[in-house]
Amino acid sequence: MASLLDLDPRWRALMDPEGAFGGVIDIGFDHPSAWPHEARGDQPFVKAGKDQLTSELCRSGDARFIRATLTLPIRGSDEALIVALWAEVPNPAFYAYLDLLDGGPVPNDCAARLANDLSPLADLGSAVTLTFGDGTERPQMTHAKTKDISLDELLDLYEATGTLDRSALKPS
């Protein structure tokens, strides 16, 4: 069976270790889409009134968010896209995670809502699940309808997030 590398010149352009991209480009979101204040950027945290944003936690109004990792294998390859994004969680899950960061027990898996728009793969607010593993790494997110992605879906996501323009991968 042929791999993406054999079949699609866009894949070769993306994956060429000597090329401009050098492989799959992971995506990261600085803050939940609903965050109404400035981006955190290089600052350790942003505080605006009672709202706070750090690299892993966010409180905005009555909403609580945890940053998580979504891993999406790319069909036809051995590669995966890693997305660092935000999930809106119930208050008990937020505070259980905060306790974990202070040495407490690992929280139970919890239902949450996607807090970044991953169109065309997953809509803002869609149901996700967070798992906390053994508590030593960022929580993992799963989305019931998005288990893996095609090359075209990867390129669509890159364009939608401003990561990469599809035309950059056209063969010369």
Side-chain angles (χ1 to χ4, degrees), residues 16-97:
D16 179 1
E18 304 298 320
F21 309 106
V24 174
I25 304 165
D26 294 332
I27 298 172
F29 291 90
D30 177 76
H31 53 273
S33 293
W35 179 248
H37 310 289
E38 67 183 273
R40 189 177 55 81
D42 293 335
Q43 302 173 69
F45 67 92
V46 172
K47 183 170 179 159
K50 292 184 178 184
D51 295 346
Q52 293 186 51
L53 173 67
T54 70
S55 64
E56 304 300 316
L57 299 167
C58 178
R59 179 178 67 200
S60 181
D62 293 333
R64 302 293 181 264
F65 304 90
I66 295 174
R67 197 164 190 202
T69 301
L70 176 65
T71 302
L72 297 170
I74 302 167
R75 278 177 253 150
S77 81
D78 294 332
E79 300 292 325
L81 172 68
I82 308 295
V83 185
L85 68 175
W86 294 85
E88 183 174 359
V89 298
N91 283 354
F94 180 85
Y95 291 106
Y97 186 61

